[in-house]
């Protein structure tokens, strides 16, 4: 009896006579049982595989019918007892030599063991193993169990192809190795170890010009698809070809995680004022105790989330020897669209060296990712996540991985929703005054800061303790060495021009806020704009309701939604606070997008906390600019 699952399902008897099994449900049942051959499977699990969209009421009876049909079909070839049953469970018996997936695995293992001592025999065994593949394994199945098994087999095939190429190279059979490697790079143009082997083979066979052009092709693909430069091994292979030095054999990969396993950006040079939050991240990582863990670092735009994540990752890196990965999910990128979960999984799989054509379905990619990192200790930084739904497919399960997520949103539990204790949150607030001045000093130097400490304190205050704003201010002063600190402080003092001053060629506080603003719904945007027209300070629910002409419950709901995006804050059950820079941005958007606001807005109150009139309503307060028929935004609009 032979069961062939490395491609379309095929069943043969000892004489090679094929079994005709045209009905879809019995075929799916056989594939499901073969994916866990010799293991008992519950009737419920088998029914879920047969009816993935939902079981009909007759599922139990139909399953028994399909088992009976399958027994009858297999009996002439394999005897009547191939499928066994007990109360509620079934299993299919198969010898190791009867399932082609197992035969492939055994042949590839034997070939690998012989590479060092009998390379010719090893190459033959490995080639025989690879010849058994006729297509995608278990291609008709879409169950989680099948996806994990497919991922495992795909990784074994990748390793076997690398082994046979290495053996051919060691034997000097460059023609066959180059042919195989060209096919592999065509199938997976982002797998660097394959490009390294191809460069080595071309260079060693005297085709130096082809080796150089091959590097340029690989470099272009990596830059276009992943936004990265080639790794050190590929660059070294290229340089040896440029110099005409003898080619060095490419390093053999260790399993699935062979390529680009250390992709953390450089640590931030200025890390101040976040030691308490950093300690919370390290404590949460220590509490994971070898299980997968997720730590979410949250806060408003420019507050330093990525800096904390990277600093923590650098400190934790020695504990995660299998690799440290960084991926920008681009939820709030000004110039590039966000990464979809499927694209993010594709990037992660490439980063750890998974080769071959990736599955198209999100669930299949997630299963491949989770299978590839099983039993690995990886530290993964997922920067700028859009929300929990997009994040959940990216989280490993059943592994000792640590995931650090940054987001401008308050994330619901990003880990398994059935286990909320698995996720820890660290929320970042603005820097205290001393830390803000210290950050400014790191950007300017102690001498220049000491030239006018009063103006330095004013600059830090006008930046509102937001690290990005402080760094932009420091950059502007560095690029204008003749400016006194007091000159920039005077320019920042004008609220109408403050956001315009907090920008450089590549960074802008207004642009950073705009990314968050564009993701809001129209009713959320409207309330934020109106909050920008209110006096500086805190706003309670009644005041916001009066301001927007809403019922108090609706106003509180919108305020909480803005709070979830860190555009307003509420530290207790009291009023909501709007950061000065957010308020100035919102006022600018009101100026740009609203002609006149038909609600009451006290625009010139010196109080630090504004509450609604004693009898709030939807009509403008008598004597207000709106009641007088004048646009409200004129008094608070930009002046530069």
């Amino acid at each position: 009896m032979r069961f062939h699952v490395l491609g379309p399902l095929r069943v043969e008897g000892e004489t090679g006579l094929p079994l005709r099994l045209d009905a879809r449900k019995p075929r799916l049942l056989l594939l499901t049982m073969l994916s866990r051959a010799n293991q008992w499977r519950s009737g419920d699990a088998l029914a879920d595989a047969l009816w993935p969209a939902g079981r009909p009421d007759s599922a139990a009876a139909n399953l028994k019918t399909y088992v009976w049909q399958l027994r009858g079909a297999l009996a002439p070839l394999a005897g009547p007892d191939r499928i066994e049953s007990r109360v509620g469970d079934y299993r299919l018996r198969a010898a190791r030599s009867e399932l082609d997936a197992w035969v492939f695995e055994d042949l590839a293992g034997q070939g690998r063991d012989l590479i060092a001592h009998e390379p010719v025999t090893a190459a033959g065994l490995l080639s025989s193993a690879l010849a058994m593949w006729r297509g995608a394994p278990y291609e008709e199945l879409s169950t989680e169990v099948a996806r994990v098994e497919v991922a495992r087999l795909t990784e074994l095939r990748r390793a076997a192809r690398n082994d046979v190429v290495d053996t051919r190279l060691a034997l000097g059979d460059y023609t066959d190795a180059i042919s195989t490697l060209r096919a592999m790079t065509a199938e997976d143009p982002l797998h660097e170890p394959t490009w390294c082997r191809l460069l080595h083979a071309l260079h060693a066979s005297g085709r130096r010009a082809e080796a150089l052009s091959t590097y340029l092709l690989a470099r272009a693909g990596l830059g276009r698809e992943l936004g990265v430069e080639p790794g050190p091994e590929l660059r070294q292979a290229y340089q040896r070809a440029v110099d005409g030095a003898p080619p060095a054999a490419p390093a053999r990969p260790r399993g699935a995680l062979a390529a680009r396993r250390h992709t953390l950006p450089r640590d931030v040079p200025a890390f101040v004022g976040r030691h308490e939050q950093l300690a919370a991240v390290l404590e949460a990582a220590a509490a994971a105790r070898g299980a997968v863990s997720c730590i979410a670092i949250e806060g408003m735009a420019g507050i330093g989330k990525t800096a904390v994540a990277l600093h923590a990752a650098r400190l934790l890196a020695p504990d995660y020897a299998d690799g440290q990965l960084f991926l920008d999910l681009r939820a709030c990128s000004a110039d590039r669209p966000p990464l979809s979960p499927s694209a993010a999984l594709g990037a992660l799989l490439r980063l750890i060296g998974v080769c071959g054509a990736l599955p198209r379905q999100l669930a299949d990619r997630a299963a491949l990712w989770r299978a590839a990192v099983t039993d690995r200790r990886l530290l993964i930084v997922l920067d700028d996540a859009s929300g929990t739904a997009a994040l959940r497919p990216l989280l490993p399960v059943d592994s000792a991985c640590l995931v650090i997520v940054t987001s401008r949103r308050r994330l619901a539990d990003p880990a398994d929703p059935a286990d909320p204790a698995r996720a820890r949150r660290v929320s970042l607030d603005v820097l205290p005054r001393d830390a803000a001045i210290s950050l400014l000093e790191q950007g300017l130097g102690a001498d220049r800061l000491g030239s006018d400490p009063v103006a330095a304190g004013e600059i830090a205050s006008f930046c509102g303790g937001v690290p990005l704003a402080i760094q932009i201010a420091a950059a502007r002063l560095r690029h204008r060495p003749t400016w006194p600190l007091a000159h920039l402080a005077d320019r920042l003092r004008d609220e109408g021009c403050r956001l315009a001053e907090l920008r450089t060629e590549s960074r802008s506080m207004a642009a950073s806020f705009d990314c968050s603003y564009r993701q809001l719904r129209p009713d959320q945007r409207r309330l934020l704009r109106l909050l920008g027209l209110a006096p500086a300070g805190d706003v309670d629910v009644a005041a916001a309701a009066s301001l927007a002409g809403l019922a108090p419950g609706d106003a509180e709901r919108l305020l909480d939604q803005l709070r979830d995006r860190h555009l307003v804050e509420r530290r207790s059950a009291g009023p909501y606070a709007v950061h000065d820079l957010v308020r100035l941005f919102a006022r600018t958007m009101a100026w740009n997008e609203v002609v006149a606001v038909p609600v009451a807005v006290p625009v010139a109150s010196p109080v630090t906390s504004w509450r609604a009139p004693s009898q709030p309503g939807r009509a403008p307060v008598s004597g207000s600019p709106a009641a007088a028929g004048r646009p409200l935004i004129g008094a608070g609009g930009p002046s530069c």
Side-chain angles (χ1 to χ4, degrees), residues 301-590:
I303 206 66
K305 302 177 292 294
T306 303
V308 174
L310 288 178
H311 198 66
R314 290 290 181 183
L315 294 175
L316 292 167
D319 295 332
Y320 294 88
D322 288 323
Q324 307 92 41
L325 310 178
F326 178 89
L327 182 64
D328 183 1
L329 299 178
R330 306 198 305 250
C332 294
S333 174
D335 56 353
R336 292 184 296 172
L339 278 183
S340 67
S342 181
L345 282 168
L348 287 169
L349 287 165
R350 301 303 188 190
L351 287 174
I352 64 172
V354 173
C355 66
L358 297 180
R360 293 186 178 181
Q361 298 298 319
L362 174 63
D364 295 336
R365 287 196 177 192
L368 178 57
W369 162 246
R370 288 165 178 164
V373 300
T374 299
D375 300 326
R376 303 283 180 172
R377 284 186 62 82
L378 283 173
L379 191 158
I380 306 161
V381 178
L382 300 175
D383 192 39
D384 197 14
S386 62
T388 307
L391 182 62
R392 190 167 286 136
L394 312 183
L395 299 181
V397 295
D398 299 326
S399 68
C401 294
L402 173 66
V403 181
I404 301 177
V405 181
T406 73
S407 179
R408 298 186 187 188
R409 301 185 64 170
R410 281 184 170 83
L411 299 172
D413 177 34
D416 187 343
D419 187 8
R422 295 175 69 185
R424 302 287 187 93
R425 293 177 190 80
V426 177
S427 185
L428 300 187
D429 202 348
V430 297
L431 292 173
R433 178 181 173 83
D434 290 347
I437 294 175
S438 178
L439 182 60
L440 187 63
E441 180 181 357
Q442 290 200 18
L444 290 177
D447 291 342
R448 191 167 183 194
L449 189 82
S451 66
D452 192 345
V454 174
E458 290 180 331
I459 292 172
S461 177
F462 292 141
C463 290
V466 177
L468 176 59
I470 296 168
Q471 290 166 347
I472 290 174
R476 294 204 68 193
L477 288 168
R478 282 199 312 273
H479 297 156
R480 294 162 178 81
T482 61
W483 274 16
L485 269 62
H487 180 67
L488 180 60
D490 289 340
R491 294 169 73 113
L492 292 173
R493 185 171 288 108
D494 184 349
E495 286 192 344
C497 293
R498 189 174 299 165
L499 285 178
E501 295 293 335
L502 291 175
R503 67 181 304 141
T504 63
E505 183 178 353
S506 59
R507 296 188 293 181
S508 163
M509 282 305 307
S512 188
F513 289 139
D514 188 68
C515 292
S516 297
Y517 177 76
R518 296 300 170 191
Q519 294 179 358
L520 299 177
R521 300 194 314 266
D523 55 344
Q524 296 168 338
R525 292 185 188 182
R526 176 177 178 270
L527 179 58
L528 183 65
R529 292 195 301 266
L530 293 173
L531 293 176
L533 298 174
D538 298 344
V539 178
D540 66 8
V541 173
S546 177
L547 184 68
L550 297 171
D554 292 336
E556 185 169 21
R557 173 177 54 82
L558 288 175
L559 284 168
D560 281 338
Q561 291 167 0
L562 294 177
R563 177 178 176 269
D564 287 341
R565 294 176 179 269
H566 290 280
L567 290 167
V568 303
E569 296 297 336
R570 192 184 198 185
R571 293 177 177 81
S572 63
Y576 292 81
V578 186
H579 190 280
D580 281 348
L581 294 181
V582 176
R583 177 176 55 83
L584 295 178
F585 170 80
R587 180 185 297 176
T588 301
M589 298 311 296

Side-chain angles (χ1 to χ4, degrees), residues 155-420:
E155 284 302 296
L156 290 175
R157 179 177 183 245
R158 179 202 59 77
R161 295 180 84 181
N162 283 336
D163 286 336
V164 75
V165 165
D166 288 345
T167 306
R168 297 293 186 197
L169 292 175
L171 293 171
D173 186 359
Y174 297 115
T175 301
D176 189 38
I178 290 171
S179 175
T180 302
L181 287 166
R182 288 202 185 280
M184 293 173 67
T185 56
E187 292 175 16
D188 186 6
L190 302 179
H191 189 243
E192 287 193 51
T194 306
W195 287 108
C196 286
R197 285 173 168 77
L198 182 53
L199 254 71
H200 167 76
L202 290 169
H203 188 187
S205 62
R207 296 154 70 172
R208 182 180 168 199
E210 288 185 60
L212 298 177
S213 63
T214 296
Y215 171 81
L216 297 178
L217 184 65
R219 183 172 182 264
L222 291 168
R224 181 176 59 252
E225 299 298 329
L226 298 181
V228 298
E229 286 292 315
E233 186 182 349
L234 186 52
R235 291 199 306 269
Q236 290 168 9
Y238 169 70
Q239 193 60 49
R240 295 182 77 86
V242 170
D243 297 339
R252 292 177 56 81
R254 291 191 307 109
L257 304 180
R260 199 168 282 284
R261 294 184 295 115
H262 307 280
T263 65
L264 293 179
R266 65 182 180 87
D267 200 359
V268 290
F271 188 82
V272 297
R274 296 301 189 198
H275 299 292
E276 182 179 341
Q277 293 83 0
L278 178 64
V281 174
L282 299 180
E283 180 183 352
R289 296 179 181 177
V292 65
S293 181
C294 181
I295 302 170
I297 302 175
E298 305 165 351
M300 66 181 284
I303 206 66
K305 302 177 292 294
T306 303
V308 174
L310 288 178
H311 198 66
R314 290 290 181 183
L315 294 175
L316 292 167
D319 295 332
Y320 294 88
D322 288 323
Q324 307 92 41
L325 310 178
F326 178 89
L327 182 64
D328 183 1
L329 299 178
R330 306 198 305 250
C332 294
S333 174
D335 56 353
R336 292 184 296 172
L339 278 183
S340 67
S342 181
L345 282 168
L348 287 169
L349 287 165
R350 301 303 188 190
L351 287 174
I352 64 172
V354 173
C355 66
L358 297 180
R360 293 186 178 181
Q361 298 298 319
L362 174 63
D364 295 336
R365 287 196 177 192
L368 178 57
W369 162 246
R370 288 165 178 164
V373 300
T374 299
D375 300 326
R376 303 283 180 172
R377 284 186 62 82
L378 283 173
L379 191 158
I380 306 161
V381 178
L382 300 175
D383 192 39
D384 197 14
S386 62
T388 307
L391 182 62
R392 190 167 286 136
L394 312 183
L395 299 181
V397 295
D398 299 326
S399 68
C401 294
L402 173 66
V403 181
I404 301 177
V405 181
T406 73
S407 179
R408 298 186 187 188
R409 301 185 64 170
R410 281 184 170 83
L411 299 172
D413 177 34
D416 187 343
D419 187 8

Side-chain angles (χ1 to χ4, degrees), residues 46-60:
L46 295 175
D48 288 340
L50 296 182
W51 294 280
R55 284 182 268 170
D57 294 338
S58 59

